[in-house]
Structures are given as C-alpha cells and as structure tokens.
C-alpha cells in the first residue's frame, strides 16, 4: 500500500555547494521515496532547517553520524535523529544525480534495507530497526559519496571469492541466530527462513562490484550484532 506522508517542511533560493543554487518553488518538496511511500516536506520547514543547519549545504566528506554529533540542535530525540539523516540524504543527493548514481543508490538501498529486515526478523523486531530504516538512507547516500570521490581505500581482492565468502558468512549467521531464537515456534522459523533466504538473494544480486561489497561489509559489521 502506498502512503503519502507530509513533513510540515520551505525554501526559496539558497547557495548549494560550489557555485550552485538550490531553488524551490513548489509548496511541498519530495524529501525521500521510502519503498512505495512518499515523504514530502513543506517549503517553510525546509527553509527553517537550512537556516538552522547550513552544514547541509556543504556536507563535504562528513558522514551523517559525524554531522549529527556536531549539529543535533533541534533534532535531539530518536525521531529527530531519523529526520536529520533523511535531510542529510536529501541534500547530498542533489550533488549525486547522474544515472549511475541512481543505479548505485538503488543497489545500496536494496542491500541496506534487506540487511535491516534480516536483523529485525532475527531479533524479533523492535523500534530500533524502525529508526535505523530511516537513517540508512543517509548511510546509503554517504556510501555513494565515498564511491564517487574515490575515498574508499584501494584494496585488491578476488571479488567473486570474497563475495561468496561474505554471502556464506551471512547465511551462517542467519541460520545460527534463527535456530537459537526462542521467541519463534518451529513452524514460524520455517516461514521466516523462507523470507530470510529471499532477502539474502536480494543482497547477493545487488552486490555487483568490489565497492558495493566493501560498503556492505562495513555497514553490516558496524551496525548489527553479527554473532
């Protein structure tokens, strides 16, 4: 089911990055498309955010975690942090809008949302995964920034071999965790295993190069309990 969500968010014309102009003339702005759900913001709110948080106009190479730690005023709650990461993704995406950017962004989002769903199932849900679901849009956009600016350390690896090892490791983690999850009955575990396998397959298909593999590993091992 598709939902259209509205942040009460406004802006007219602001400097954006190097010699760029950020011009908004519509009453509401599409902040992010989350699966089939559309999240809009009003121009008034967006204008307010830019005035209070000019760092969004010059993100440079800062991750959302670093920017939020330094500029959390007005976004102090868990929900506020979610919103901050969505704004981060929105503004950074304005500098990353080529066709290849769109392709890589979609792959990263497929991977990160699938991982989040996997661990939500293994941990029997929780509000933390709902918060992380919104924040991973910021993480995905940052991963795209790393790729576009060649910040990722050059590591020569056998991509096919390393990808195979990663997927096997993920499958092992999933199998062990699900087997030891006492909140589910055996019949429930069988159904969940089917969904988990589908999610792993999505990840497998989305990892198409070494960069995506490295970013996936970095995101998973820094975000979730992988034992």
């Amino acid at each position: 089911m598709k939902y259209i969500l509205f942040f009460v968010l406004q802006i007219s014309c602001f400097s954006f990055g190097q010699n760029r102009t950020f011009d908004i003339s519509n009453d509401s702005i599409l902040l992010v498309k989350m699966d089939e759900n559309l999240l809009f913001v009003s121009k008034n709110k967006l204008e307010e955010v830019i005035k209070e948080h000019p760092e969004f106009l010059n993100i440079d190479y800062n991750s959302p975690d670093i920017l939020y730690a330094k500029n959390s005023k007005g976004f102090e709650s868990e929900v506020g942090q979610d919103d901050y990461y969505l704004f981060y993704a929105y503004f950074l995406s304005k500098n990353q809008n080529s066709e290849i950017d769109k392709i890589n962004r979609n792959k990263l989002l497929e991977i990160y949302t699938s991982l989040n769903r996997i661990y939500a199932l293994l941990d029997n849900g929780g509000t933390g995964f709902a918060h992380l679901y919104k924040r991973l849009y910021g993480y995905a956009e940052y991963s795209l920034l790393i790729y576009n600016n060649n910040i990722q350390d050059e590591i020569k690896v056998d991509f096919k071999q390393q990808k195979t090892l990663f997927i096997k490791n993920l499958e092992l983690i999933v199998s062990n965790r699900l087997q030891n999850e006492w909140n589910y009955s055996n019949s429930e575990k069988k159904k969940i295993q089917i969904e988990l396998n589908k999610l792993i397959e999505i990840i497998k298909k989305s990892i198409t190069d070494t960069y995506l593999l490295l970013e996936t590993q970095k995101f998973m091992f820094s975000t979730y309990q992988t034992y």
Side-chain angles (χ1 to χ4, degrees), residues 132-195:
L132 186 54
Y133 171 67
K134 294 180 179 179
R135 297 175 195 178
L136 63 79
Y137 283 80
Y139 291 129
E141 205 64 42
Y142 178 65
S143 291
L144 193 57
L145 175 69
I146 298 298
Y147 176 63
N148 287 339
N149 290 276
N150 299 314
I151 301 174
Q152 182 67 264
D153 293 336
E154 291 186 11
I155 302 176
K156 294 183 179 180
V157 299
D158 184 325
F159 169 66
K160 291 184 179 181
Q161 180 187 55
Q162 291 302 312
K163 177 181 174 179
T164 298
L165 289 173
F166 172 74
I167 295 299
K168 286 184 176 180
N169 184 44
L170 178 58
E171 290 172 337
L172 181 61
I173 291 171
V174 166
S175 177
N176 289 340
R177 289 281 298 276
L178 184 59
Q179 183 178 357
N180 291 288
E181 178 51 64
W182 56 269
N183 287 303
Y184 298 126
S185 66
N186 288 334
S187 60
E188 287 175 325
K189 287 181 180 180
K190 290 180 181 179
K191 293 179 181 179
I192 292 171
Q193 184 66 65
I194 293 173
E195 183 174 356

Side-chain angles (χ1 to χ4, degrees), residues 92-155:
L92 186 54
S93 70
K94 297 305 176 183
N95 280 334
Q96 304 185 140
N97 54 11
S98 69
E99 288 304 311
I100 189 63
D101 286 334
K102 294 175 183 177
I103 292 171
N104 284 329
R105 178 184 294 111
N106 287 337
K107 288 180 180 179
L108 285 163
L109 288 173
E110 288 274 18
I111 294 167
Y112 291 3
T113 54
S114 295
L115 283 172
N116 198 53
R117 178 59 179 161
I118 285 172
Y119 282 96
L121 287 169
L122 294 176
D123 286 347
N124 198 30
T127 58
F129 294 103
H131 290 299
L132 186 54
Y133 171 67
K134 294 180 179 179
R135 297 175 195 178
L136 63 79
Y137 283 80
Y139 291 129
E141 205 64 42
Y142 178 65
S143 291
L144 193 57
L145 175 69
I146 298 298
Y147 176 63
N148 287 339
N149 290 276
N150 299 314
I151 301 174
Q152 182 67 264
D153 293 336
E154 291 186 11
I155 302 176

Side-chain angles (χ1 to χ4, degrees), residues 62-115:
N62 292 306
S63 71
D65 292 335
I66 291 176
L67 276 192
Y68 179 76
K70 295 179 179 179
N71 305 281
S72 62
K73 182 179 178 181
F75 293 93
E76 290 88 350
S77 67
E78 287 290 331
V79 173
Q81 188 172 355
D82 299 345
D83 294 346
Y84 189 94
Y85 282 53
L86 290 174
F87 282 119
Y88 174 98
Y90 171 78
F91 286 109
L92 186 54
S93 70
K94 297 305 176 183
N95 280 334
Q96 304 185 140
N97 54 11
S98 69
E99 288 304 311
I100 189 63
D101 286 334
K102 294 175 183 177
I103 292 171
N104 284 329
R105 178 184 294 111
N106 287 337
K107 288 180 180 179
L108 285 163
L109 288 173
E110 288 274 18
I111 294 167
Y112 291 3
T113 54
S114 295
L115 283 172

Side-chain angles (χ1 to χ4, degrees), residues 176-221:
N176 289 340
R177 289 281 298 276
L178 184 59
Q179 183 178 357
N180 291 288
E181 178 51 64
W182 56 269
N183 287 303
Y184 298 126
S185 66
N186 288 334
S187 60
E188 287 175 325
K189 287 181 180 180
K190 290 180 181 179
K191 293 179 181 179
I192 292 171
Q193 184 66 65
I194 293 173
E195 183 174 356
L196 290 169
N197 290 341
K198 291 179 180 179
L199 291 167
I200 291 174
E201 188 62 26
I202 291 173
I203 294 171
K204 183 178 179 180
K205 289 181 178 179
S206 298
I207 298 176
T208 55
D209 59 33
T210 302
Y211 148 70
L212 289 169
L213 174 61
L214 293 175
E215 286 301 304
T216 299
Q217 291 173 319
K218 183 171 64 176
F219 175 74
M220 188 179 86
F221 290 112

